[in-house]
Amino acid sequence: AVSPAAAQLRDSFEGPQPTWSLKQADCGVRELAHDRDYREARSGQAREHFRLSVGSGTFVYLAQGIGRAPLIEELRPSLFVKADRPSVQLMARIVLPRSIDRGTGQPVTSFLRGDMYTSVGQWQQLAIRDIGRLLGQEVRSLRTHFGVEIDDREAYIDLIALNAYSGPGNIDLWIDDLEIDGYINLDTANGPQVARRPAGQDSGRGTF
């Protein structure tokens, strides 16, 4: 067993099949290409690539499931991104199992927002930092909509996402080297198909 502070997930994107997918958008979006690209990976041999044609809106969510990771202070997702347009943002979807949306009968979900991409044409590591503070801010915001019954106990993250919206037009986007410090999956049947290594051991990349 490893402690929450020592646990880590690494995904090196070395497998032949894409693992991310287009989940949701509030605008017209067409997926012009989606593949594992073996040219100029950030490290290793492969990276995942999207080419999207996007209309007017505010979000285009690309995401990968990570099982059910308890939201603890040590949790810190990061992902390397390269794009030909700015403003792509790293996000994590939180699930609040003790707070039920009366409209859907399902647990309330929301997003914690991390770094935004600025280094157009270059690899940039985006991270979600100080996740406890972000959760507190988001819970306060949710209470203005759902009321004081919002309860963040047992909160967990089930998706790592990118908001790929950067304005109308086409965007080419590459991703590589997902890492999540403080990662423990409580839903091993539905976690990502990547190796999980304790931090401080072999720093080699995970495999599919």
Side-chain angles (χ1 to χ4, degrees), residues 38-187:
Y38 287 85
R39 296 170 295 172
E40 300 181 22
R42 188 260 162 187
S43 62
Q45 297 182 339
R47 59 188 179 172
E48 193 152 335
H49 166 242
F50 286 89
R51 178 177 295 144
L52 304 173
S53 177
V54 178
S56 296
T58 61
F59 68 84
V60 175
Y61 293 152
L62 310 176
Q64 175 178 318
I66 61 166
R68 186 159 55 96
L71 204 153
I72 59 175
E73 287 288 344
E74 294 88 353
L75 197 68
R76 185 180 182 273
S78 66
L79 179 72
F80 277 90
V81 173
K82 181 180 178 182
D84 61 358
R85 301 183 69 168
S87 302
V88 174
Q89 189 172 30
L90 183 64
M91 309 170 71
R93 187 172 77 172
I94 56 168
V95 181
L96 305 177
R98 287 175 171 259
S99 303
I100 302 301
D101 184 336
R102 294 175 182 173
T104 66
Q106 299 298 314
V108 171
T109 64
S110 190
F111 283 97
L112 303 182
R113 291 164 174 78
D115 295 340
M116 193 169 286
Y117 180 75
T118 57
S119 301
V120 175
Q122 313 224 355
W123 286 107
Q124 179 182 344
Q125 187 180 39
L126 306 182
I128 300 175
R129 311 168 196 275
D130 196 356
I131 207 158
R133 177 182 59 82
L134 293 177
L135 175 62
Q137 291 175 345
E138 191 60 27
V139 166
R140 288 192 292 273
S141 176
L142 289 171
R143 283 173 178 159
T144 66
H145 179 71
F146 292 100
V148 295
E149 64 269 18
I150 289 294
D151 186 343
D152 63 358
R153 289 177 295 170
E154 300 178 17
Y156 62 88
I157 289 174
D158 69 341
L159 289 176
I160 300 297
L162 286 171
N163 183 358
Y165 187 81
S166 62
N170 291 354
I171 181 171
D172 272 290
L173 172 72
W174 296 266
I175 54 179
D176 204 351
D177 292 330
L178 170 67
E179 296 190 358
I180 307 178
D181 292 333
Y183 173 84
I184 291 182
N185 183 13
L186 300 181
D187 185 6

Side-chain angles (χ1 to χ4, degrees), residues 192-205:
Q193 300 302 306
V194 298
R196 297 187 247 297
R197 303 172 185 268
Q201 291 189 9
D202 179 6
S203 60
R205 298 142 63 77

Side-chain angles (χ1 to χ4, degrees), residues 15-34:
Q17 298 300 322
T19 53
W20 286 58
S21 60
L22 174 61
K23 292 292 188 183
Q24 188 179 7
D26 67 348
C27 56
V29 56
R30 287 188 298 139
E31 196 173 272
L32 303 179
H34 181 203

